[in-house]
Amino acid sequence: MAEMVSMKSMRTPRDCFAKLAIYCAALLVCAAFAWILSDIARGGMAHLSLDFVIGSPRDAGRAGGIGSILVSTALVLAIALMAALPLGWTTAALLAEYVSAGSRFGGAVRYSLQVLAAVPSIVFGLFGNAFFSIYLGLGFSILSGGLTLACMLLPILVSTAESGLRAIPDAHRLSAAALGMSRTSTLFRLLLPIAAPSLAAGLLLGIGRAIAETAALLFTSGYVDRTPGSLLDSGRTLAVHIFDLSMNVPGGDAAAYASALVLIAALLLINMVAMRLATDWQRRKIMAENSNGYSNIDAPRA
Amino acid sequence: MIWSRHNILSPSVSVDTLTLWLLRGAAGAAMGVVLLILLFLAIESWPALRHISIERFLTDPSWNPGENLYNLAPMLSGTLYAAAGALLLATPLGIASALFIAYYASPHAASIYRRLVELLAGIPSVVYGFWGLTTLVPLINQLHPPGASLLAGILVLTLMILPTIALTAYAALLAVPGEYMLGATALGLSRWGTIRGVALPAAKTGIAAGVILAAGRAIGETMALLMVTGNVVQNASSLFEPIRTLAANIALEMPYAMNDHRAALFVSGLALMLLVMLLWSIAARLARNGNG
């Protein structure tokens, strides 16, 4: 909008001061970002090597690598996604396609998801410990950590999938109905495939959130740094490993830097791919139905 | 047509109803998670709430679960000081960032800067904490020992909640109707005059909602504060004194807490959750009124 309105700056002192202040603030934020990244990169590069990535931690993590930690992280993540994806996407499909805007059930589901998004991660940790670890008897394990994370991921998966489904033009639904498709097959064969990029973007954001999480995993998946033998074993994720090295292990800083670098690199990569998907999706939406392969639905028959 | 290959030309009502009930079940399960969390927090806090009267959490002489003393007040004050300090710094910076993206930067610079803020939001709290511990704390230590302090907590927390404020404020500024801006230009207002007189007032509820959301995040933040604030249970009287927040207290003591002590930690967790839910409800109401 700002670009459309060409605002002539009248060069009053107050205008100049405001401009200066805003540029300074932006510069400050950039500088802080650069400071953090360069610190982590400089500290991490020195210790990072292939052996570090695939090796097992020795001497409480001071020496050795993070191989077993990466395995635990991947397992926790896999459990979380396997539990959260079906639940999240079906909930999104219901909210976007089946309930009316004023429906009480839809409103209640949406409200509780928004509450869930606001719950602090340490509270998820307490809940996971009380429910999964103790009440369900899973103990400190990959399984209880993953399930706790699944609860955390639900809101983000639902909201991205729901907005993706809502962005599909109604013409698709009407054409499908005119062709006599049932609502179920419309959903599975038409709407979900079209919304795939936004589902994928949400999935990546969820993965990012999950591998960044520490507080919720401290008392659910635990601290044990061996490669887990089963899903009921305790396993330490990368974020917990960084926490433990920097707080509880004197002399663990070098390894912590390198682990932080691995974590940040993974997160930046995931975020960038997610953003790329989201922008592609937006562009496709603007170009409308003609280019996305489903055009034959509303094209006139020759 | 590709479509005729599948058996979709005969819409079967039974499949549709089945799908609907399946979806309803999933949505109900998603809703159940919140209730389950509240239920389990309540069950686990119950022993403490039964033995210990509510006001003792604020009036006991100290926090010493070994001797049955459960004063949460210093932790509560630590949490509020850190959150308030971070909000004080992050709100002007966040709004300035949003203004920069919306009105000052060239489209190219704006998209780069926005991406940077989004990446800042994606950095894990444990990495912020680690950076604070290895970089900020030694710096503050040179200024005024011990370094691990309220100030370190405020600075790290500022960086963590800034993206929330900046991105919600930007969204609120984008939602300001174009006619308003055109009208301001037609009246010959300068750029800052337009922002101060038109854009910010029009976007103020959205911006306020973002600030409240950020406050919720600041109150619930655990790892970063646990790593940089020194974790001494006390009422801080200066920026350079160490503090302990409610969330950090839970993370520190959960591993060895038993019986009433454990229940008292769940009470503080329940308090945190209710506080954040309250803030969130206010933000949601603001956002709704802003749109309506």
Side-chain angles (χ1 to χ4, degrees):
Chain A
M1 227 147 284
E3 295 86 320
M4 290 196 305
V5 186
S6 81
M7 282 179 283
K8 231 180 224 158
S9 70
M10 287 168 72
R11 300 234 163 260
T12 60
R14 197 181 284 174
D15 255 86
C16 291
F17 177 74
K19 189 172 178 181
L20 191 71
I22 284 170
Y23 274 88
C24 281
L27 206 65
L28 195 66
V29 175
C30 292
F33 185 70
W35 191 12
I36 296 178
L37 277 197
S38 64
D39 256 12
I40 302 283
R42 216 181 31 230
M45 277 305 186
H47 201 74
L48 193 63
S49 64
L50 188 62
D51 285 343
F52 179 77
V53 175
I54 55 174
S56 282
R58 289 191 310 274
D59 190 17
R62 288 185 197 88
I66 51 170
S68 59
I69 309 244
L70 290 179
V71 172
S72 305
T73 311
L75 285 175
V76 169
L77 184 64
I79 297 282
L81 290 177
M82 272 195 288
L85 282 183
L87 205 57
W89 285 350
T90 42
T91 305
L94 181 89
L95 289 178
E97 302 295 327
Y98 283 87
V99 297
S100 60
S103 138
R104 189 169 285 178
F105 181 66
V109 171
R110 219 169 265 138
Y111 178 81
S112 47
L113 283 170
Q114 281 160 338
V115 169
L116 205 58
V119 173
S121 57
I122 186 79
V123 173
F124 277 106
L126 285 177
F127 162 72
N129 180 268
F131 183 64
F132 296 118
S133 301
I134 293 173
Y135 184 74
L136 293 186
L138 299 175
F140 283 75
S141 65
I142 302 268
L143 204 55
S144 50
L147 291 174
T148 308
L149 269 189
C151 301
M152 279 191 79
L153 296 186
L154 264 186
I156 193 169
L157 291 175
V158 174
S159 68
T160 47
E162 191 191 342
S163 58
L165 283 170
R166 277 185 192 284
I168 299 172
D170 266 343
H172 287 74
R173 299 183 183 88
L174 296 176
S175 321
L179 285 171
M181 285 171 76
S182 70
R183 294 190 73 180
T184 308
S185 42
T186 310
L187 180 66
F188 283 102
R189 302 202 181 277
L190 185 61
L191 300 177
L192 286 180
I194 299 179
S198 72
L199 296 186
L203 171 67
L204 287 173
L205 285 178
I207 294 177
R209 181 76 62 84
I211 61 176
E213 188 45 49
T214 318
L217 295 174
L218 281 177
F219 352 105
T220 51
S221 68
Y223 277 97
V224 176
D225 61 4
R226 286 189 309 273
T227 310
S230 82
L231 291 180
L232 288 172
D233 273 359
S234 167
R236 185 194 283 196
T237 67
L238 195 53
V240 174
H241 187 57
I242 297 170
F243 168 68
D244 195 55
L245 280 177
S246 58
M247 291 294 281
N248 306 333
V249 181
D253 272 5
Y257 265 120
S259 313
L261 185 60
V262 172
L263 183 59
I264 292 250
L267 281 172
L268 288 186
L269 194 72
I270 288 168
N271 267 321
M272 277 179 196
V273 176
M275 279 178 201
R276 175 62 53 84
L277 275 175
T279 37
D280 279 1
W281 168 232
Q282 223 122 53
R283 198 168 301 147
R284 277 232 305 238
K285 215 169 69 193
I286 293 165
M287 293 199 296
E289 296 104 28
N290 297 336
S291 58
N292 60 15
Y294 294 96
S295 54
N296 46 356
I297 293 170
D298 32 32
R301 295 268 186 95
Chain B
M1 296 285 284
I2 308 168
W3 305 100
S4 53
R5 257 199 279 132
H6 307 294
N7 184 20
I8 51 176
L9 285 174
S10 55
S12 59
V13 176
S14 63
V15 170
D16 273 1
T17 14
L18 194 72
T19 316
L20 184 55
W21 282 106
L22 204 76
L23 297 184
R24 282 211 184 122
M31 192 161 62
V33 170
V34 175
L35 297 178
L36 208 60
I37 290 178
L38 280 172
L39 181 72
F40 267 84
L41 285 180
I43 291 177
E44 294 279 337
S45 340
W46 179 241
L49 291 173
R50 207 178 41 188
H51 294 161
I52 309 165
S53 58
I54 295 276
E55 64 267 20
R56 274 190 57 201
F57 286 112
L58 297 174
T59 56
D60 267 4
S62 65
W63 170 262
N64 197 342
E67 293 172 25
N68 248 338
L69 297 172
Y70 298 101
N71 186 6
L72 289 171
M75 263 97 76
L76 201 58
S77 77
T79 307
L80 294 180
Y81 284 155
L87 279 179
L88 223 54
L89 288 178
T91 306
L93 276 178
I95 295 177
S97 300
L99 290 175
F100 179 73
I101 303 172
Y103 302 118
Y104 282 88
S106 64
H108 188 61
S111 86
I112 292 181
Y113 187 74
R114 213 182 106 195
R115 220 158 249 214
L116 186 133
V117 172
E118 283 169 355
L119 290 179
L120 211 53
I123 296 183
S125 58
V126 69
V127 172
Y128 278 114
F130 177 62
W131 176 76
L133 188 67
T134 51
T135 308
L136 277 184
V137 168
L139 276 179
I140 297 174
N141 184 34
Q142 285 172 6
L143 204 67
H144 192 300
S149 59
L150 178 57
L151 180 63
I154 288 176
L155 290 177
V156 168
L157 207 48
T158 301
L159 282 175
M160 297 185 64
I161 63 175
L162 190 140
T164 311
I165 298 181
L167 295 173
T168 49
Y170 173 63
L173 288 172
L174 263 194
V176 175
E179 303 95 78
Y180 289 18
M181 307 305 286
L182 287 171
T185 314
L187 287 172
L189 288 182
S190 67
R191 173 144 52 179
W192 176 243
T194 312
I195 290 169
R196 222 191 60 149
V198 179
L200 285 181
K204 72 170 185 281
T205 43
I207 296 178
V211 171
I212 294 172
L213 282 183
R217 237 198 114 184
I219 287 172
E221 177 48 43
T222 315
M223 302 319 290
L225 288 178
L226 169 65
M227 293 165 85
V228 301
T229 55
N231 301 316
V232 179
V233 184
Q234 63 173 0
N235 279 304
S237 54
S238 91
L239 278 176
F240 296 102
E241 281 184 13
I243 55 156
R244 183 188 288 194
T245 66
L246 273 180
N249 186 49
I250 299 174
L252 280 170
E253 301 193 354
M254 256 309 266
Y256 62 88
M258 307 284 278
N259 308 329
D260 272 4
H261 182 193
R262 182 177 152 93
L265 293 180
F266 272 87
V267 171
S268 52
L270 191 62
L272 266 183
M273 171 140 175
L274 293 178
L275 202 60
V276 169
M277 275 173 70
L278 179 75
L279 283 174
W280 177 81
S281 307
I282 297 172
R285 177 147 310 168
L286 272 179
R288 218 180 5 254
N289 291 347
N291 292 338

